Amino acid sequence: MLDSVTHSTFLSNTMVCDPLMSWTELFGTTEDGYPTCDHQTARDKACVRAGGINGQECHSHGRTNLQSSHLWEFVRDLLLSPEENGGILEWEDRGQGIFRVVKSEALAKMWGQRKKNDRMTYEKLSRALRYYYKTGILERVDRRLVYKFGKNAHGWQENKI
DNA sequence: CCTCACTTTCCTGCTT
DNA sequence: AAAGCAGGAAAGTGAG
């Protein structure tokens, strides 16, 4: 199985400036029950208006906002903010836009959280990703949990923004 | 209210 | 055997 990967992917903390809720809040106690959705605290944080994140970006890219309405943008933004993705996603080949879903369940939970849908699963999320093959947002990669941005995807390259 | 694009849900079968 | 992958089909949603 050579997990390889994850040198220090133990979500140690990395939550230096969580844009959404904290990791513990997400996984610490919620296996699948999900009493999560508090009322306001967590919700408010998740509702920070896009671009309204008062320049609180951590170091690195000035893009710490996961408010994207579309799945592929959400994935892209997560990929672009390593501080927040806690090792969920990882670039396989940054130059070619190839990335791997390291923690499928976590990704599904995050997406579900974004859409306020606690029934989200990787099975379902991946179905949505598969539809992107038709529109050129993503390209198929013959490897488990590996995807590649297609010609119609934008904003994932370091230089081009 | 309707349409459209995107997403979710469910399913059957196949592959790793 | 469990987890992914493939897509078809159909229902749900939000924007316009």
mmCIF file of all heavy atoms in Angstrom, chain A residues 104 122 127 130-131 140 144-145 147, chain C residues 2-10:
data_model
loop_
_atom_site.group_PDB
_atom_site.id
_atom_site.type_symbol
_atom_site.label_atom_id
_atom_site.label_comp_id
_atom_site.label_asym_id
_atom_site.label_seq_id
_atom_site.Cartn_x
_atom_site.Cartn_y
_atom_site.Cartn_z
ATOM 1 N N SER A 104 -10.472 11.011 1.025
ATOM 2 C CA SER A 104 -11.767 11.108 0.361
ATOM 3 C C SER A 104 -12.927 11.418 1.294
ATOM 4 O O SER A 104 -13.793 12.225 0.972
ATOM 5 C CB SER A 104 -12.044 9.820 -0.401
ATOM 6 O OG SER A 104 -11.982 8.718 0.447
ATOM 7 N N TYR A 122 -18.144 10.517 -0.570
ATOM 8 C CA TYR A 122 -17.192 10.616 -1.672
ATOM 9 C C TYR A 122 -17.785 9.964 -2.925
ATOM 10 O O TYR A 122 -17.509 10.381 -4.040
ATOM 11 C CB TYR A 122 -15.858 9.942 -1.315
ATOM 12 C CG TYR A 122 -14.893 9.993 -2.469
ATOM 13 C CD1 TYR A 122 -14.325 11.211 -2.853
ATOM 14 C CD2 TYR A 122 -14.604 8.854 -3.218
ATOM 15 C CE1 TYR A 122 -13.499 11.293 -3.956
ATOM 16 C CE2 TYR A 122 -13.773 8.933 -4.322
ATOM 17 C CZ TYR A 122 -13.222 10.148 -4.692
ATOM 18 O OH TYR A 122 -12.405 10.224 -5.799
ATOM 19 N N ARG A 127 -19.184 11.368 -8.344
ATOM 20 C CA ARG A 127 -20.089 11.302 -9.494
ATOM 21 C C ARG A 127 -20.140 12.683 -10.146
ATOM 22 O O ARG A 127 -20.132 12.812 -11.364
ATOM 23 C CB ARG A 127 -21.504 10.885 -9.066
ATOM 24 C CG ARG A 127 -22.470 10.807 -10.230
ATOM 25 C CD ARG A 127 -22.097 9.657 -11.154
ATOM 26 N NE ARG A 127 -22.868 9.621 -12.400
ATOM 27 C CZ ARG A 127 -22.482 10.230 -13.519
ATOM 28 N NH1 ARG A 127 -21.368 10.956 -13.526
ATOM 29 N NH2 ARG A 127 -23.191 10.119 -14.615
ATOM 30 N N ARG A 130 -17.085 13.302 -12.078
ATOM 31 C CA ARG A 130 -17.092 12.588 -13.354
ATOM 32 C C ARG A 130 -17.854 13.349 -14.430
ATOM 33 O O ARG A 130 -17.513 13.243 -15.608
ATOM 34 C CB ARG A 130 -17.696 11.190 -13.168
ATOM 35 C CG ARG A 130 -16.660 10.134 -12.839
ATOM 36 C CD ARG A 130 -17.314 8.784 -12.574
ATOM 37 N NE ARG A 130 -17.180 8.452 -11.177
ATOM 38 C CZ ARG A 130 -18.159 8.029 -10.398
ATOM 39 N NH1 ARG A 130 -19.377 7.882 -10.873
ATOM 40 N NH2 ARG A 130 -17.929 7.773 -9.143
ATOM 41 N N TYR A 131 -18.860 14.074 -14.017
ATOM 42 C CA TYR A 131 -19.596 14.860 -15.002
ATOM 43 C C TYR A 131 -18.699 15.940 -15.604
ATOM 44 O O TYR A 131 -18.929 16.409 -16.704
ATOM 45 C CB TYR A 131 -20.816 15.528 -14.355
ATOM 46 C CG TYR A 131 -22.048 14.662 -14.377
ATOM 47 C CD1 TYR A 131 -22.748 14.384 -13.210
ATOM 48 C CD2 TYR A 131 -22.519 14.124 -15.586
ATOM 49 C CE1 TYR A 131 -23.894 13.599 -13.236
ATOM 50 C CE2 TYR A 131 -23.658 13.338 -15.616
ATOM 51 C CZ TYR A 131 -24.342 13.074 -14.443
ATOM 52 O OH TYR A 131 -25.472 12.306 -14.470
ATOM 53 N N ARG A 140 -9.719 12.843 -17.382
ATOM 54 C CA ARG A 140 -9.569 11.566 -16.705
ATOM 55 C C ARG A 140 -8.098 11.183 -16.548
ATOM 56 O O ARG A 140 -7.271 11.427 -17.410
ATOM 57 C CB ARG A 140 -10.283 10.504 -17.533
ATOM 58 C CG ARG A 140 -10.489 9.210 -16.863
ATOM 59 C CD ARG A 140 -11.522 8.403 -17.620
ATOM 60 N NE ARG A 140 -12.856 8.949 -17.417
ATOM 61 C CZ ARG A 140 -13.808 8.964 -18.326
ATOM 62 N NH1 ARG A 140 -13.579 8.494 -19.517
ATOM 63 N NH2 ARG A 140 -14.992 9.440 -18.044
ATOM 64 N N ARG A 144 -6.442 5.690 -9.303
ATOM 65 C CA ARG A 144 -7.418 5.864 -8.238
ATOM 66 C C ARG A 144 -7.233 7.183 -7.509
ATOM 67 O O ARG A 144 -6.131 7.521 -7.100
ATOM 68 C CB ARG A 144 -7.272 4.742 -7.214
ATOM 69 C CG ARG A 144 -7.923 3.474 -7.638
ATOM 70 C CD ARG A 144 -8.049 2.564 -6.446
ATOM 71 N NE ARG A 144 -9.242 1.751 -6.609
ATOM 72 C CZ ARG A 144 -9.819 1.084 -5.638
ATOM 73 N NH1 ARG A 144 -9.321 1.123 -4.428
ATOM 74 N NH2 ARG A 144 -10.884 0.362 -5.864
ATOM 75 N N LEU A 145 -8.313 7.887 -7.330
ATOM 76 C CA LEU A 145 -8.322 9.143 -6.595
ATOM 77 C C LEU A 145 -7.479 10.254 -7.211
ATOM 78 O O LEU A 145 -7.135 11.217 -6.543
ATOM 79 C CB LEU A 145 -7.867 8.902 -5.153
ATOM 80 C CG LEU A 145 -8.731 7.914 -4.372
ATOM 81 C CD1 LEU A 145 -8.056 7.528 -3.069
ATOM 82 C CD2 LEU A 145 -10.084 8.549 -4.089
ATOM 83 N N TYR A 147 -7.082 13.110 -10.262
ATOM 84 C CA TYR A 147 -7.819 13.873 -11.263
ATOM 85 C C TYR A 147 -6.875 14.898 -11.871
ATOM 86 O O TYR A 147 -5.783 15.140 -11.347
ATOM 87 C CB TYR A 147 -9.006 14.595 -10.605
ATOM 88 C CG TYR A 147 -10.021 13.656 -9.972
ATOM 89 C CD1 TYR A 147 -9.851 13.182 -8.670
ATOM 90 C CD2 TYR A 147 -11.147 13.250 -10.685
ATOM 91 C CE1 TYR A 147 -10.778 12.315 -8.086
ATOM 92 C CE2 TYR A 147 -12.088 12.397 -10.119
ATOM 93 C CZ TYR A 147 -11.897 11.928 -8.815
ATOM 94 O OH TYR A 147 -12.815 11.074 -8.260
ATOM 95 P P DA C 2 -16.754 -5.879 3.082
ATOM 96 O OP1 DA C 2 -17.384 -5.784 4.418
ATOM 97 O OP2 DA C 2 -17.571 -6.050 1.870
ATOM 98 O "O5'" DA C 2 -15.851 -4.573 2.906
ATOM 99 C "C5'" DA C 2 -14.631 -4.460 3.642
ATOM 100 C "C4'" DA C 2 -13.807 -3.319 3.070
ATOM 101 O "O4'" DA C 2 -13.304 -3.703 1.773
ATOM 102 C "C3'" DA C 2 -14.648 -2.069 2.837
ATOM 103 O "O3'" DA C 2 -13.848 -0.906 3.065
ATOM 104 C "C2'" DA C 2 -15.068 -2.196 1.386
ATOM 105 C "C1'" DA C 2 -13.850 -2.861 0.769
ATOM 106 N N9 DA C 2 -14.126 -3.687 -0.402
ATOM 107 C C8 DA C 2 -15.168 -4.544 -0.613
ATOM 108 N N7 DA C 2 -15.136 -5.151 -1.784
ATOM 109 C C5 DA C 2 -13.974 -4.648 -2.377
ATOM 110 C C6 DA C 2 -13.360 -4.883 -3.610
ATOM 111 N N6 DA C 2 -13.842 -5.728 -4.532
ATOM 112 N N1 DA C 2 -12.219 -4.215 -3.880
ATOM 113 C C2 DA C 2 -11.730 -3.382 -2.962
ATOM 114 N N3 DA C 2 -12.215 -3.077 -1.756
ATOM 115 C C4 DA C 2 -13.350 -3.750 -1.531
ATOM 116 P P DA C 3 -14.524 0.518 3.051
ATOM 117 O OP1 DA C 3 -13.952 1.358 4.125
ATOM 118 O OP2 DA C 3 -15.987 0.383 2.905
ATOM 119 O "O5'" DA C 3 -13.928 1.032 1.674
ATOM 120 C "C5'" DA C 3 -12.518 1.147 1.549
ATOM 121 C "C4'" DA C 3 -12.173 1.675 0.182
ATOM 122 O "O4'" DA C 3 -12.464 0.685 -0.816
ATOM 123 C "C3'" DA C 3 -12.957 2.925 -0.196
ATOM 124 O "O3'" DA C 3 -12.047 3.796 -0.870
ATOM 125 C "C2'" DA C 3 -14.036 2.389 -1.134
ATOM 126 C "C1'" DA C 3 -13.294 1.246 -1.817
ATOM 127 N N9 DA C 3 -14.120 0.175 -2.380
ATOM 128 C C8 DA C 3 -15.258 -0.382 -1.879
ATOM 129 N N7 DA C 3 -15.768 -1.328 -2.637
ATOM 130 C C5 DA C 3 -14.890 -1.398 -3.710
ATOM 131 C C6 DA C 3 -14.860 -2.201 -4.865
ATOM 132 N N6 DA C 3 -15.773 -3.137 -5.151
ATOM 133 N N1 DA C 3 -13.850 -2.019 -5.725
ATOM 134 C C2 DA C 3 -12.936 -1.085 -5.448
ATOM 135 N N3 DA C 3 -12.851 -0.265 -4.396
ATOM 136 C C4 DA C 3 -13.874 -0.479 -3.557
ATOM 137 P P DG C 4 -12.370 5.336 -1.167
ATOM 138 O OP1 DG C 4 -11.370 6.162 -0.478
ATOM 139 O OP2 DG C 4 -13.812 5.572 -0.954
ATOM 140 O "O5'" DG C 4 -12.072 5.392 -2.724
ATOM 141 C "C5'" DG C 4 -12.372 4.244 -3.491
ATOM 142 C "C4'" DG C 4 -11.746 4.323 -4.855
ATOM 143 O "O4'" DG C 4 -12.105 3.110 -5.508
ATOM 144 C "C3'" DG C 4 -12.310 5.446 -5.713
ATOM 145 O "O3'" DG C 4 -11.400 5.832 -6.755
ATOM 146 C "C2'" DG C 4 -13.559 4.803 -6.274
ATOM 147 C "C1'" DG C 4 -13.138 3.340 -6.440
ATOM 148 N N9 DG C 4 -14.220 2.418 -6.165
ATOM 149 C C8 DG C 4 -14.986 2.360 -5.040
ATOM 150 N N7 DG C 4 -15.933 1.460 -5.117
ATOM 151 C C5 DG C 4 -15.764 0.884 -6.358
ATOM 152 C C6 DG C 4 -16.486 -0.144 -7.004
ATOM 153 O O6 DG C 4 -17.460 -0.769 -6.603
ATOM 154 N N1 DG C 4 -15.983 -0.403 -8.262
ATOM 155 C C2 DG C 4 -14.908 0.223 -8.825
ATOM 156 N N2 DG C 4 -14.569 -0.163 -10.043
ATOM 157 N N3 DG C 4 -14.222 1.182 -8.232
ATOM 158 C C4 DG C 4 -14.707 1.461 -7.008
ATOM 159 P P DC C 5 -11.812 6.883 -7.846
ATOM 160 O OP1 DC C 5 -10.559 7.451 -8.395
ATOM 161 O OP2 DC C 5 -12.841 7.769 -7.278
ATOM 162 O "O5'" DC C 5 -12.481 5.984 -8.976
ATOM 163 C "C5'" DC C 5 -11.703 5.008 -9.644
ATOM 164 C "C4'" DC C 5 -12.436 4.528 -10.876
ATOM 165 O "O4'" DC C 5 -13.494 3.625 -10.480
ATOM 166 C "C3'" DC C 5 -13.107 5.640 -11.687
ATOM 167 O "O3'" DC C 5 -12.919 5.363 -13.065
ATOM 168 C "C2'" DC C 5 -14.568 5.542 -11.272
ATOM 169 C "C1'" DC C 5 -14.710 4.042 -11.043
ATOM 170 N N1 DC C 5 -15.783 3.623 -10.118
ATOM 171 C C2 DC C 5 -16.682 2.629 -10.523
ATOM 172 O O2 DC C 5 -16.576 2.163 -11.651
ATOM 173 N N3 DC C 5 -17.633 2.214 -9.665
ATOM 174 C C4 DC C 5 -17.719 2.743 -8.447
ATOM 175 N N4 DC C 5 -18.676 2.299 -7.626
ATOM 176 C C5 DC C 5 -16.823 3.770 -8.006
ATOM 177 C C6 DC C 5 -15.873 4.184 -8.866
ATOM 178 P P DA C 6 -13.319 6.454 -14.201
ATOM 179 O OP1 DA C 6 -12.119 6.837 -14.953
ATOM 180 O OP2 DA C 6 -14.144 7.494 -13.565
ATOM 181 O "O5'" DA C 6 -14.228 5.619 -15.181
ATOM 182 C "C5'" DA C 6 -15.129 4.660 -14.663
ATOM 183 C "C4'" DA C 6 -16.147 4.308 -15.699
ATOM 184 O "O4'" DA C 6 -17.165 3.571 -15.015
ATOM 185 C "C3'" DA C 6 -16.860 5.505 -16.346
ATOM 186 O "O3'" DA C 6 -17.296 5.188 -17.661
ATOM 187 C "C2'" DA C 6 -18.012 5.758 -15.402
ATOM 188 C "C1'" DA C 6 -18.337 4.354 -14.884
ATOM 189 N N9 DA C 6 -18.720 4.359 -13.478
ATOM 190 C C8 DA C 6 -18.156 5.067 -12.456
ATOM 191 N N7 DA C 6 -18.746 4.889 -11.292
ATOM 192 C C5 DA C 6 -19.749 3.973 -11.571
ATOM 193 C C6 DA C 6 -20.726 3.366 -10.764
ATOM 194 N N6 DA C 6 -20.851 3.599 -9.463
ATOM 195 N N1 DA C 6 -21.579 2.514 -11.347
ATOM 196 C C2 DA C 6 -21.457 2.278 -12.661
ATOM 197 N N3 DA C 6 -20.578 2.793 -13.533
ATOM 198 C C4 DA C 6 -19.738 3.645 -12.906
ATOM 199 P P DG C 7 -17.157 6.268 -18.877
ATOM 200 O OP1 DG C 7 -16.717 5.587 -20.094
ATOM 201 O OP2 DG C 7 -16.437 7.458 -18.412
ATOM 202 O "O5'" DG C 7 -18.666 6.680 -19.052
ATOM 203 C "C5'" DG C 7 -19.467 6.801 -17.919
ATOM 204 C "C4'" DG C 7 -20.825 6.188 -18.175
ATOM 205 O "O4'" DG C 7 -21.227 5.567 -16.956
ATOM 206 C "C3'" DG C 7 -21.862 7.257 -18.500
ATOM 207 O "O3'" DG C 7 -22.927 6.685 -19.257
ATOM 208 C "C2'" DG C 7 -22.333 7.655 -17.120
ATOM 209 C "C1'" DG C 7 -22.285 6.320 -16.360
ATOM 210 N N9 DG C 7 -22.002 6.460 -14.946
ATOM 211 C C8 DG C 7 -21.070 7.276 -14.348
ATOM 212 N N7 DG C 7 -21.118 7.221 -13.035
ATOM 213 C C5 DG C 7 -22.132 6.308 -12.769
ATOM 214 C C6 DG C 7 -22.662 5.842 -11.543
ATOM 215 O O6 DG C 7 -22.322 6.157 -10.399
ATOM 216 N N1 DG C 7 -23.686 4.925 -11.737
ATOM 217 C C2 DG C 7 -24.143 4.499 -12.972
ATOM 218 N N2 DG C 7 -25.122 3.618 -12.968
ATOM 219 N N3 DG C 7 -23.662 4.926 -14.118
ATOM 220 C C4 DG C 7 -22.674 5.824 -13.945
ATOM 221 P P DG C 8 -23.917 7.636 -20.041
ATOM 222 O OP1 DG C 8 -23.798 7.343 -21.480
ATOM 223 O OP2 DG C 8 -23.820 9.022 -19.548
ATOM 224 O "O5'" DG C 8 -25.295 7.030 -19.510
ATOM 225 C "C5'" DG C 8 -25.558 5.633 -19.667
ATOM 226 C "C4'" DG C 8 -26.863 5.300 -18.988
ATOM 227 O "O4'" DG C 8 -26.664 5.274 -17.558
ATOM 228 C "C3'" DG C 8 -27.967 6.317 -19.260
ATOM 229 O "O3'" DG C 8 -29.215 5.627 -19.401
ATOM 230 C "C2'" DG C 8 -27.935 7.203 -18.019
ATOM 231 C "C1'" DG C 8 -27.488 6.236 -16.924
ATOM 232 N N9 DG C 8 -26.704 6.847 -15.855
ATOM 233 C C8 DG C 8 -25.600 7.648 -15.991
ATOM 234 N N7 DG C 8 -25.092 8.033 -14.853
ATOM 235 C C5 DG C 8 -25.915 7.447 -13.896
ATOM 236 C C6 DG C 8 -25.864 7.496 -12.479
ATOM 237 O O6 DG C 8 -25.049 8.083 -11.759
ATOM 238 N N1 DG C 8 -26.888 6.766 -11.886
ATOM 239 C C2 DG C 8 -27.837 6.074 -12.579
ATOM 240 N N2 DG C 8 -28.748 5.433 -11.850
ATOM 241 N N3 DG C 8 -27.902 6.010 -13.909
ATOM 242 C C4 DG C 8 -26.911 6.722 -14.502
ATOM 243 P P DA C 9 -30.485 6.495 -19.870
ATOM 244 O OP1 DA C 9 -31.371 5.534 -20.574
ATOM 245 O OP2 DA C 9 -30.096 7.770 -20.504
ATOM 246 O "O5'" DA C 9 -31.146 6.819 -18.454
ATOM 247 C "C5'" DA C 9 -31.434 5.750 -17.565
ATOM 248 C "C4'" DA C 9 -32.188 6.273 -16.351
ATOM 249 O "O4'" DA C 9 -31.238 6.726 -15.354
ATOM 250 C "C3'" DA C 9 -33.111 7.459 -16.663
ATOM 251 O "O3'" DA C 9 -34.355 7.227 -16.022
ATOM 252 C "C2'" DA C 9 -32.370 8.644 -16.062
ATOM 253 C "C1'" DA C 9 -31.593 8.016 -14.913
ATOM 254 N N9 DA C 9 -30.355 8.692 -14.526
ATOM 255 C C8 DA C 9 -29.418 9.256 -15.353
ATOM 256 N N7 DA C 9 -28.411 9.816 -14.718
ATOM 257 C C5 DA C 9 -28.708 9.602 -13.375
ATOM 258 C C6 DA C 9 -28.039 9.954 -12.185
ATOM 259 N N6 DA C 9 -26.888 10.612 -12.139
ATOM 260 N N1 DA C 9 -28.605 9.593 -11.018
ATOM 261 C C2 DA C 9 -29.760 8.919 -11.041
ATOM 262 N N3 DA C 9 -30.493 8.531 -12.097
ATOM 263 C C4 DA C 9 -29.901 8.913 -13.245
ATOM 264 P P DA C 10 -35.534 8.269 -16.305
ATOM 265 O OP1 DA C 10 -36.777 7.477 -16.469
ATOM 266 O OP2 DA C 10 -35.134 9.267 -17.318
ATOM 267 O "O5'" DA C 10 -35.597 8.967 -14.886
ATOM 268 C "C5'" DA C 10 -35.471 8.156 -13.718
ATOM 269 C "C4'" DA C 10 -35.452 9.054 -12.493
ATOM 270 O "O4'" DA C 10 -34.115 9.557 -12.273
ATOM 271 C "C3'" DA C 10 -36.349 10.278 -12.635
ATOM 272 O "O3'" DA C 10 -36.908 10.561 -11.363
ATOM 273 C "C2'" DA C 10 -35.370 11.367 -13.047
ATOM 274 C "C1'" DA C 10 -34.153 10.967 -12.233
ATOM 275 N N9 DA C 10 -32.855 11.471 -12.677
ATOM 276 C C8 DA C 10 -32.396 11.674 -13.947
ATOM 277 N N7 DA C 10 -31.183 12.185 -14.008
ATOM 278 C C5 DA C 10 -30.821 12.315 -12.675
ATOM 279 C C6 DA C 10 -29.660 12.804 -12.051
ATOM 280 N N6 DA C 10 -28.601 13.274 -12.706
ATOM 281 N N1 DA C 10 -29.620 12.798 -10.701
ATOM 282 C C2 DA C 10 -30.672 12.327 -10.032
ATOM 283 N N3 DA C 10 -31.828 11.839 -10.502
ATOM 284 C C4 DA C 10 -31.837 11.868 -11.851
#
